Amino acid sequence: MAQPAFDRRRINGPEESFPPSFEADDLSRNVPFLRTRGPKEVRPIFLRPGLILQANGSAYIETEQAKIACAVYGPRQSKNTAYSEKGRLNVEVKFTPFSSDRRRAPMRDAEDRSIATAVQQALLSSVRLELFPKSTIDIFVVVIEADGIEACIASISIAASTALANAGIEMLGLVVACTACVIEDNVWVDPTQDEASQAQGVMVFSCMPALGKVTSLWESGRMKPSELLSCIEICEERCSDIHSVVAQALLSAVQPHL
C-alpha cells in the first residue's frame, strides 16, 4: 500500500492561511492627544533607593510607562590606567529587548551610548571626583520599559543621582531633570513618546535645585529662543518639585535604619 506524501521531518503549515494584520501607525498621528494631566504637570514618580543589595547604591524609578533600575559600584581603584588626581565617572545604559515597541538587540548601539553620554554630562559636575584620585565610579542602568529617549534621559539622571546619594558618595547636590516640548506654540512638560514625536522641539533640562545651578541642557528639533526660555523656566519650577520627591525618598530609605 502506497504511503501518502507526508514529510515527517518538517512541520507542515495549515491548509488555509490568512495574511497578518498590523495596526496602522499613521492612524495614531491623526488622532488628537488625550492628555489627562495639565500641560505643565509631570507624571507621578515612584522612586525607591537601595533596591539592589549587592551594589554600593541603587535606585528604581517608575513614571507610568518608563521603568528604570540603576546601580552604583565604587569608588574603586582604577587598574591599568595612568594616575589621575580626579576620579572617573562611567555610565553604561542598556535596554531590555522588550523595553520598546521595536525589539532591541542585546548588544549596545549608538543610541545607548548617546543616552549614557547625556546622563554623564548631567551628573559630572555634581560629584566631587577630586576626593577620589585614581578611582572609578561605575553607574549601570537597565531600562526595563522606555517611553521616549528624552524621558529616559531625565528619569535615568534622577535615578543615577539618587543611587549615588544612596551609595554615600559625596556630592555637591542632587541632580534632577525634566523634559519639555513645544506643540503648536504651546509648552508641554514631561511629554510621552507620542507627544514628543509630534513636537517641533524637545528639551531635557538638568539642574541642582539646592544650589540653583544648571548641569546640562539637551535640545533636539527646532525651537525659537522665546520658546526655549519658556521651557527652561517651566522645567526649573518642576525640578524643584521633583527635588522634594527625591529628598523624601532618600529620607524614607534611611529612617528604618535609624
Side-chain angles (χ1 to χ4, degrees):
M1 184 176 179
Q3 296 292 333
F6 184 80
D7 191 353
R8 297 181 180 276
R9 294 172 300 178
R10 299 178 182 177
I11 300 177
N12 296 286
E15 296 181 358
E16 297 182 359
S17 61
F18 303 93
S21 59
F22 301 95
E23 295 182 358
D25 296 335
D26 295 333
L27 294 178
S28 61
R29 300 180 183 277
N30 299 326
V31 178
F33 296 119
L34 299 177
R35 188 180 173 105
T36 57
R37 50 194 169 90
K40 297 183 180 180
E41 295 181 4
V42 298
R43 285 171 282 187
I45 299 175
F46 173 80
L47 181 64
R48 182 179 176 183
L51 186 64
I52 304 174
L53 300 179
Q54 294 81 1
N56 297 104
S58 62
Y60 172 79
I61 188 170
E62 186 173 316
T63 58
E64 290 186 355
Q65 290 85 1
K67 300 175 180 64
I68 297 168
C70 177
V72 173
Y73 296 88
R76 47 192 177 187
Q77 185 177 3
S78 302
K79 297 181 180 179
N80 301 326
T81 57
Y83 176 79
S84 176
E85 294 183 358
K86 296 182 64 176
R88 298 181 181 180
L89 182 67
N90 298 328
V91 181
E92 182 177 328
V93 178
K94 290 185 178 180
F95 285 80
T96 57
F98 50 84
S99 60
S100 56
D101 297 335
R102 172 180 59 85
R103 182 174 177 83
R104 292 179 176 269
M107 62 186 67
R108 298 181 63 192
D109 54 13
E111 191 174 62
D112 300 349
R113 295 185 179 90
S114 62
I115 294 176
T117 301
V119 174
Q120 184 186 32
Q121 292 177 352
L123 300 173
L124 195 59
S125 59
S126 67
V127 183
R128 299 195 61 185
L129 295 176
E130 68 275 5
L131 301 179
F132 312 107
K134 201 182 179 183
S135 300
T136 303
I137 301 173
D138 296 315
I139 302 176
F140 297 99
V141 180
V142 177
V143 181
I144 304 172
E145 186 175 356
D147 190 19
I149 301 302
E150 295 80 10
C152 279
I153 295 175
S155 298
I156 292 173
S157 300
I158 297 172
S161 182
T162 305
L164 288 170
N166 180 250
I169 296 176
E170 189 165 350
M171 306 167 62
L172 297 175
L174 293 172
V175 175
V176 296
C178 183
T179 60
C181 69
V182 177
I183 300 178
E184 297 179 355
D185 299 331
N186 297 320
V187 177
W188 287 20
V189 177
D190 195 12
T192 62
Q193 183 176 2
D194 295 334
E195 295 169 350
S197 63
Q198 298 300 308
Q200 293 95 327
V202 186
M203 184 197 68
V204 181
F205 179 82
S206 304
C207 66
M208 290 186 288
L211 301 180
K213 301 293 184 180
V214 178
T215 60
S216 176
L217 185 63
W218 187 85
E219 188 264 338
S220 63
R222 296 182 178 180
M223 282 189 184
K224 300 177 182 178
S226 58
E227 295 173 343
L228 182 61
L229 293 176
S230 299
C231 290
I232 293 175
E233 183 179 357
I234 297 174
C235 286
E236 192 173 2
E237 296 176 358
R238 298 288 79 82
C239 282
S240 299
D241 301 333
I242 299 173
H243 184 269
S244 301
V245 174
V246 176
Q248 184 60 41
L250 289 170
L251 183 62
S252 300
V254 174
Q255 283 180 345
H257 302 284
L258 296 180

